[in-house]
Amino acid sequence: MSASCAACEVLLLDSLGELLDFYAAADVAFVGGSLVTVGGHNLLEPAALGVPILTGPHHHNSEEIARLLIARGAAQVVHDGAELGGRVGALLADPAERERMGAAGRASVDSNRGALAKLLALIEPLLGQGAQTPL
């Protein structure tokens, strides 16, 4: 084990409702369920907290979110355990890249806030028109 890895701590979580606290303390997050066809878990949580994200190629649970975060440089795709280990090591050795990825994630989430209000603003005028139309 190299000297830099001797000081590393890895926490593997398999529970609901606790991830936000751990993401908030993380330097890098690998979001599970994405190396296999499970479909990937929520990438928005670490992105909102400014944590750089590593994810596998499978995102059928949230394809648009994954595509957005990958395109904006907030998340990077790995294809197997070896690649994951290499990317974690590289990110831990590069604080500037972690900061850049984290800022990109935070900005991506911030630029898409208010989706419910935007949707309601589009729907409300249509609801008024529908009430006036006889069946």
Side-chain angles (χ1 to χ4, degrees):
M1 181 181 300
S2 71
S4 63
C5 289
C8 296
E9 292 184 33
V10 175
L11 296 174
L12 177 62
L13 303 174
D14 187 19
S15 59
L16 295 174
E18 297 179 315
L19 284 176
L20 279 178
D21 291 336
F22 286 95
Y23 282 143
D27 293 316
V28 177
F30 169 69
V31 180
S34 59
L35 282 177
V36 293
T37 57
V38 171
H41 297 292
N42 188 350
L43 299 177
L44 289 175
E45 291 174 332
L49 293 169
V51 177
I53 302 164
L54 296 174
T55 183
H58 301 283
H59 305 105
H60 65 266
N61 291 339
S62 57
E63 289 177 13
E64 286 299 316
I65 293 167
R67 198 172 3 258
L68 171 77
L69 293 174
I70 292 164
R72 292 190 177 175
Q76 296 177 351
V77 177
V78 297
H79 297 90
D80 56 38
E83 189 178 1
L84 172 61
R87 289 303 308 142
V88 168
L91 285 170
L92 290 176
D94 190 346
E97 177 64 1
R98 289 196 318 268
E99 179 57 35
R100 186 203 61 74
M101 288 179 70
R106 210 177 300 109
S108 296
V109 171
D110 288 345
S111 70
N112 285 285
R113 289 194 189 276
L116 178 59
K118 292 173 188 173
L119 181 61
L120 289 174
L122 292 171
I123 292 173
E124 285 176 349
L126 299 174
L127 292 175
Q129 291 175 3
Q132 296 171 3
T133 305
L135 295 176

